[in-house]
Amino acid sequence: MNEDAFWALIDELSSRPGTRDERLEWLEGELLRRPADESVAFQVRLEKACGAADTHALWRAADRIEGGNCTDDGFHCFTLWLVGQGRKAYEAVLADPDALADLPEVRALAGRHHDDWDDDEWPEWEELDYVAQDAYDELTGQEDDDGEEFLDAVEEAEEAEEDEGAGGEEGEEGEERGASGPEGLAPPRLTALFPLGPSGS
């Protein structure tokens, strides 16, 4: 599965009707129709996309939206959610985190207490991280191994990409990779949308 094939699946996922669970069920079905190594390749692409979004600037943006309550795990789930918005939105936000203010999904949260956001609105999507493993385990009959074979296969695939020189795509944001928390000022348009954070405090 190359990058274009990965994003084709994600773009379809982002545009499908229904709840997040229903869309993830569709995605798992698509992976189940493919060889097991396609699930591994999907996860490699997903982790690479999340890794590219792991910057201080984007964490500041997520933290602003979530009212200063974005944790380490929460930020990872935020990057998963961002990937799930589709390639166009993802690339726009990576280029300028303040572009989150253009997303209808973000604008719909402005002015509302975050306790009032339902599960399908919250800008975190942890479950997207498990779809490929579930498909792989079903295809290979490894449901009882706690995902160990899948994780080993993902690691091997990542190492193979690095050996081929495909792992050097960090780009200009490489110095910000591995962010350890939000620092500095929040993006201005997001600050206008969430002046005090969703908690209103």
Short mmCIF file of all heavy atoms in Angstrom, two decimals, residues 50-91:
data_model
loop_
_atom_site.label_atom_id
_atom_site.label_comp_id
_atom_site.label_asym_id
_atom_site.label_seq_id
_atom_site.Cartn_x
_atom_site.Cartn_y
_atom_site.Cartn_z
N CYS A 50 0.91 10.33 11.63
CA CYS A 50 0.80 10.86 13.00
C CYS A 50 2.13 11.42 13.47
O CYS A 50 2.18 12.46 14.14
CB CYS A 50 0.31 9.78 13.95
SG CYS A 50 -1.43 9.34 13.74
N GLY A 51 3.21 10.75 13.13
CA GLY A 51 4.53 11.23 13.52
C GLY A 51 4.86 12.58 12.92
O GLY A 51 5.44 13.45 13.57
N ALA A 52 4.47 12.79 11.65
CA ALA A 52 4.72 14.07 11.01
C ALA A 52 3.93 15.20 11.66
O ALA A 52 4.31 16.37 11.59
CB ALA A 52 4.39 13.98 9.52
N ALA A 53 2.80 14.85 12.29
CA ALA A 53 1.95 15.85 12.96
C ALA A 53 2.37 16.09 14.40
O ALA A 53 1.79 16.95 15.08
CB ALA A 53 0.49 15.40 12.92
N ASP A 54 3.38 15.38 14.87
CA ASP A 54 3.81 15.49 16.27
C ASP A 54 4.75 16.67 16.43
O ASP A 54 5.97 16.53 16.51
CB ASP A 54 4.49 14.18 16.69
CG ASP A 54 4.86 14.15 18.16
OD1 ASP A 54 4.40 15.05 18.91
OD2 ASP A 54 5.61 13.25 18.57
N THR A 55 4.18 17.88 16.45
CA THR A 55 4.95 19.11 16.58
C THR A 55 4.41 19.95 17.73
O THR A 55 3.24 19.83 18.11
CB THR A 55 4.89 19.94 15.29
OG1 THR A 55 3.57 20.47 15.13
CG2 THR A 55 5.26 19.12 14.07
N HIS A 56 5.27 20.79 18.26
CA HIS A 56 4.83 21.71 19.32
C HIS A 56 3.71 22.62 18.82
O HIS A 56 2.76 22.91 19.54
CB HIS A 56 6.00 22.56 19.81
CG HIS A 56 7.01 21.81 20.63
ND1 HIS A 56 6.69 21.19 21.81
CD2 HIS A 56 8.33 21.59 20.43
CE1 HIS A 56 7.78 20.62 22.30
NE2 HIS A 56 8.79 20.83 21.49
N ALA A 57 3.85 23.09 17.57
CA ALA A 57 2.86 24.03 17.04
C ALA A 57 1.48 23.40 16.97
O ALA A 57 0.47 24.03 17.33
CB ALA A 57 3.29 24.50 15.65
N LEU A 58 1.42 22.16 16.54
CA LEU A 58 0.11 21.50 16.45
C LEU A 58 -0.42 21.15 17.83
O LEU A 58 -1.63 21.21 18.08
CB LEU A 58 0.20 20.26 15.56
CG LEU A 58 -1.14 19.64 15.17
CD1 LEU A 58 -2.08 20.68 14.57
CD2 LEU A 58 -0.92 18.50 14.18
N TRP A 59 0.49 20.81 18.75
CA TRP A 59 0.04 20.54 20.11
C TRP A 59 -0.56 21.80 20.74
O TRP A 59 -1.57 21.76 21.44
CB TRP A 59 1.19 20.00 20.96
CG TRP A 59 0.75 19.32 22.23
CD1 TRP A 59 -0.37 19.57 22.98
CD2 TRP A 59 1.42 18.25 22.89
NE1 TRP A 59 -0.44 18.74 24.06
CE2 TRP A 59 0.65 17.91 24.04
CE3 TRP A 59 2.60 17.55 22.65
CZ2 TRP A 59 1.03 16.92 24.93
CZ3 TRP A 59 2.97 16.55 23.54
CH2 TRP A 59 2.19 16.24 24.67
N ARG A 60 0.05 22.94 20.49
CA ARG A 60 -0.52 24.19 21.00
C ARG A 60 -1.94 24.39 20.47
O ARG A 60 -2.83 24.84 21.20
CB ARG A 60 0.36 25.38 20.59
CG ARG A 60 1.64 25.51 21.38
CD ARG A 60 2.30 26.86 21.17
NE ARG A 60 2.76 27.09 19.81
CZ ARG A 60 3.95 26.72 19.35
NH1 ARG A 60 4.80 26.10 20.14
NH2 ARG A 60 4.29 26.98 18.11
N ALA A 61 -2.12 24.07 19.20
CA ALA A 61 -3.44 24.22 18.60
C ALA A 61 -4.46 23.27 19.23
O ALA A 61 -5.58 23.66 19.57
CB ALA A 61 -3.36 23.98 17.09
N ALA A 62 -4.05 22.02 19.41
CA ALA A 62 -4.95 21.04 20.03
C ALA A 62 -5.27 21.43 21.47
O ALA A 62 -6.41 21.31 21.93
CB ALA A 62 -4.30 19.65 19.99
N ASP A 63 -4.26 21.92 22.16
CA ASP A 63 -4.45 22.31 23.56
C ASP A 63 -5.41 23.49 23.67
O ASP A 63 -6.22 23.55 24.60
CB ASP A 63 -3.09 22.66 24.17
CG ASP A 63 -3.11 22.67 25.69
OD1 ASP A 63 -3.55 21.67 26.27
OD2 ASP A 63 -2.67 23.67 26.28
N ARG A 64 -5.34 24.40 22.73
CA ARG A 64 -6.27 25.54 22.72
C ARG A 64 -7.70 25.04 22.52
O ARG A 64 -8.62 25.45 23.24
CB ARG A 64 -5.88 26.52 21.63
CG ARG A 64 -6.90 27.59 21.31
CD ARG A 64 -7.27 28.45 22.50
NE ARG A 64 -6.13 29.16 23.06
CZ ARG A 64 -6.22 30.13 23.98
NH1 ARG A 64 -7.40 30.49 24.43
NH2 ARG A 64 -5.14 30.70 24.45
N ILE A 65 -7.89 24.16 21.56
CA ILE A 65 -9.23 23.64 21.30
C ILE A 65 -9.78 22.91 22.52
O ILE A 65 -10.96 23.06 22.88
CB ILE A 65 -9.22 22.69 20.08
CG1 ILE A 65 -8.88 23.47 18.80
CG2 ILE A 65 -10.56 21.98 19.93
CD1 ILE A 65 -8.60 22.59 17.61
N GLU A 66 -8.92 22.16 23.19
CA GLU A 66 -9.36 21.34 24.33
C GLU A 66 -9.26 22.07 25.66
O GLU A 66 -9.31 21.46 26.73
CB GLU A 66 -8.58 20.03 24.35
CG GLU A 66 -8.82 19.19 23.11
CD GLU A 66 -8.23 17.80 23.17
OE1 GLU A 66 -7.73 17.41 24.26
OE2 GLU A 66 -8.26 17.10 22.15
N GLY A 67 -9.10 23.37 25.62
CA GLY A 67 -9.14 24.16 26.84
C GLY A 67 -7.98 23.96 27.78
O GLY A 67 -8.13 24.07 29.01
N GLY A 68 -6.80 23.68 27.23
CA GLY A 68 -5.61 23.50 28.06
C GLY A 68 -5.52 22.14 28.71
O GLY A 68 -4.70 21.94 29.61
N ASN A 69 -6.30 21.19 28.23
CA ASN A 69 -6.35 19.86 28.86
C ASN A 69 -5.85 18.75 27.95
O ASN A 69 -6.19 17.58 28.15
CB ASN A 69 -7.80 19.54 29.29
CG ASN A 69 -8.31 20.49 30.34
OD1 ASN A 69 -7.63 20.74 31.33
ND2 ASN A 69 -9.50 21.04 30.12
N CYS A 70 -5.03 19.09 26.95
CA CYS A 70 -4.55 18.08 26.01
C CYS A 70 -3.32 17.37 26.59
O CYS A 70 -2.25 17.96 26.73
CB CYS A 70 -4.20 18.72 24.67
SG CYS A 70 -3.83 17.53 23.37
N THR A 71 -3.48 16.10 26.93
CA THR A 71 -2.41 15.30 27.52
C THR A 71 -1.55 14.67 26.43
O THR A 71 -1.85 14.78 25.24
CB THR A 71 -3.01 14.18 28.38
OG1 THR A 71 -3.76 13.30 27.52
CG2 THR A 71 -3.94 14.75 29.45
N ASP A 72 -0.48 13.98 26.84
CA ASP A 72 0.37 13.25 25.89
C ASP A 72 -0.47 12.28 25.07
O ASP A 72 -0.43 12.29 23.83
CB ASP A 72 1.45 12.45 26.64
CG ASP A 72 2.54 13.33 27.20
OD1 ASP A 72 2.38 14.57 27.19
OD2 ASP A 72 3.56 12.79 27.66
N ASP A 73 -1.22 11.41 25.75
CA ASP A 73 -2.04 10.43 25.04
C ASP A 73 -3.13 11.12 24.23
O ASP A 73 -3.46 10.70 23.12
CB ASP A 73 -2.68 9.45 26.04
CG ASP A 73 -1.66 8.50 26.64
OD1 ASP A 73 -0.55 8.36 26.08
OD2 ASP A 73 -1.97 7.90 27.70
N GLY A 74 -3.69 12.18 24.82
CA GLY A 74 -4.74 12.91 24.11
C GLY A 74 -4.23 13.52 22.82
O GLY A 74 -4.94 13.54 21.81
N PHE A 75 -2.99 14.01 22.84
CA PHE A 75 -2.44 14.62 21.63
C PHE A 75 -2.22 13.56 20.55
O PHE A 75 -2.47 13.81 19.37
CB PHE A 75 -1.14 15.36 21.92
CG PHE A 75 -0.54 15.99 20.69
CD1 PHE A 75 -1.25 16.94 19.98
CD2 PHE A 75 0.71 15.61 20.24
CE1 PHE A 75 -0.71 17.52 18.83
CE2 PHE A 75 1.25 16.19 19.11
CZ PHE A 75 0.54 17.14 18.39
N HIS A 76 -1.76 12.37 20.95
CA HIS A 76 -1.63 11.30 19.95
C HIS A 76 -2.98 10.99 19.33
O HIS A 76 -3.09 10.83 18.10
CB HIS A 76 -1.02 10.05 20.58
CG HIS A 76 -0.95 8.89 19.63
ND1 HIS A 76 -0.17 8.90 18.49
CD2 HIS A 76 -1.61 7.69 19.63
CE1 HIS A 76 -0.33 7.76 17.83
NE2 HIS A 76 -1.20 7.02 18.49
N CYS A 77 -4.01 10.93 20.16
CA CYS A 77 -5.35 10.66 19.64
C CYS A 77 -5.85 11.81 18.77
O CYS A 77 -6.62 11.60 17.83
CB CYS A 77 -6.32 10.40 20.79
SG CYS A 77 -5.95 8.89 21.71
N PHE A 78 -5.39 13.03 19.08
CA PHE A 78 -5.72 14.18 18.24
C PHE A 78 -5.09 14.03 16.86
O PHE A 78 -5.73 14.31 15.85
CB PHE A 78 -5.23 15.47 18.91
CG PHE A 78 -5.51 16.70 18.10
CD1 PHE A 78 -6.71 17.38 18.23
CD2 PHE A 78 -4.56 17.19 17.22
CE1 PHE A 78 -6.96 18.52 17.47
CE2 PHE A 78 -4.80 18.33 16.46
CZ PHE A 78 -6.01 19.00 16.59
N THR A 79 -3.83 13.58 16.80
CA THR A 79 -3.19 13.41 15.49
C THR A 79 -3.90 12.32 14.69
O THR A 79 -4.02 12.44 13.46
CB THR A 79 -1.69 13.10 15.62
OG1 THR A 79 -1.49 11.84 16.28
CG2 THR A 79 -0.95 14.21 16.36
N LEU A 80 -4.39 11.29 15.37
CA LEU A 80 -5.18 10.26 14.68
C LEU A 80 -6.46 10.88 14.11
O LEU A 80 -6.84 10.59 12.96
CB LEU A 80 -5.53 9.12 15.63
CG LEU A 80 -4.38 8.20 16.02
CD1 LEU A 80 -4.74 7.41 17.27
CD2 LEU A 80 -4.05 7.24 14.88
N TRP A 81 -7.12 11.71 14.92
CA TRP A 81 -8.32 12.39 14.45
C TRP A 81 -8.02 13.26 13.24
O TRP A 81 -8.78 13.27 12.26
CB TRP A 81 -8.90 13.25 15.59
CG TRP A 81 -10.01 14.16 15.16
CD1 TRP A 81 -11.33 13.85 15.03
CD2 TRP A 81 -9.88 15.53 14.77
NE1 TRP A 81 -12.03 14.96 14.60
CE2 TRP A 81 -11.17 15.99 14.43
CE3 TRP A 81 -8.79 16.41 14.69
CZ2 TRP A 81 -11.40 17.30 14.00
CZ3 TRP A 81 -9.02 17.72 14.26
CH2 TRP A 81 -10.31 18.15 13.93
N LEU A 82 -6.89 13.98 13.28
CA LEU A 82 -6.52 14.84 12.17
C LEU A 82 -6.32 14.04 10.90
O LEU A 82 -6.81 14.42 9.83
CB LEU A 82 -5.26 15.64 12.52
CG LEU A 82 -4.74 16.55 11.41
CD1 LEU A 82 -5.77 17.59 11.02
CD2 LEU A 82 -3.44 17.21 11.86
N VAL A 83 -5.61 12.93 10.99
CA VAL A 83 -5.45 12.07 9.82
C VAL A 83 -6.82 11.66 9.29
O VAL A 83 -7.07 11.67 8.08
CB VAL A 83 -4.60 10.83 10.17
CG1 VAL A 83 -4.60 9.84 9.00
CG2 VAL A 83 -3.18 11.23 10.53
N GLY A 84 -7.72 11.33 10.21
CA GLY A 84 -9.05 10.88 9.83
C GLY A 84 -9.91 11.93 9.15
O GLY A 84 -10.98 11.61 8.63
N GLN A 85 -9.46 13.20 9.15
CA GLN A 85 -10.20 14.25 8.46
C GLN A 85 -9.94 14.25 6.95
O GLN A 85 -10.59 14.99 6.22
CB GLN A 85 -9.85 15.61 9.04
CG GLN A 85 -10.12 15.76 10.52
CD GLN A 85 -11.52 15.31 10.90
OE1 GLN A 85 -12.51 15.87 10.44
NE2 GLN A 85 -11.59 14.29 11.73
N GLY A 86 -9.00 13.44 6.51
CA GLY A 86 -8.70 13.38 5.08
C GLY A 86 -7.42 14.11 4.73
O GLY A 86 -6.91 14.94 5.48
N ARG A 87 -6.91 13.80 3.57
CA ARG A 87 -5.59 14.29 3.16
C ARG A 87 -5.54 15.81 3.01
O ARG A 87 -4.58 16.45 3.45
CB ARG A 87 -5.19 13.63 1.83
CG ARG A 87 -3.76 13.90 1.43
CD ARG A 87 -3.37 13.10 0.21
NE ARG A 87 -1.93 13.07 0.01
CZ ARG A 87 -1.32 12.28 -0.87
NH1 ARG A 87 -2.04 11.47 -1.64
NH2 ARG A 87 0.00 12.30 -0.98
N LYS A 88 -6.56 16.40 2.39
CA LYS A 88 -6.55 17.85 2.17
C LYS A 88 -6.49 18.60 3.49
O LYS A 88 -5.68 19.52 3.66
CB LYS A 88 -7.78 18.26 1.37
CG LYS A 88 -7.83 19.74 1.04
CD LYS A 88 -9.05 20.07 0.19
CE LYS A 88 -9.12 21.56 -0.13
NZ LYS A 88 -10.33 21.89 -0.95
N ALA A 89 -7.35 18.22 4.44
CA ALA A 89 -7.37 18.89 5.74
C ALA A 89 -6.07 18.64 6.49
O ALA A 89 -5.49 19.56 7.07
CB ALA A 89 -8.56 18.40 6.56
N TYR A 90 -5.59 17.40 6.45
CA TYR A 90 -4.36 17.04 7.14
C TYR A 90 -3.18 17.87 6.64
O TYR A 90 -2.44 18.46 7.43
CB TYR A 90 -4.09 15.55 6.94
CG TYR A 90 -2.73 15.07 7.38
CD1 TYR A 90 -2.49 14.71 8.69
CD2 TYR A 90 -1.68 14.97 6.45
CE1 TYR A 90 -1.24 14.26 9.09
CE2 TYR A 90 -0.43 14.51 6.84
CZ TYR A 90 -0.21 14.17 8.16
OH TYR A 90 1.04 13.73 8.56
N GLU A 91 -3.01 17.95 5.33
CA GLU A 91 -1.87 18.68 4.77
C GLU A 91 -1.98 20.17 5.03
O GLU A 91 -0.97 20.84 5.28
CB GLU A 91 -1.74 18.37 3.28
CG GLU A 91 -1.32 16.93 3.02
CD GLU A 91 -1.18 16.59 1.55
OE1 GLU A 91 -1.66 17.38 0.70
OE2 GLU A 91 -0.60 15.53 1.23
#
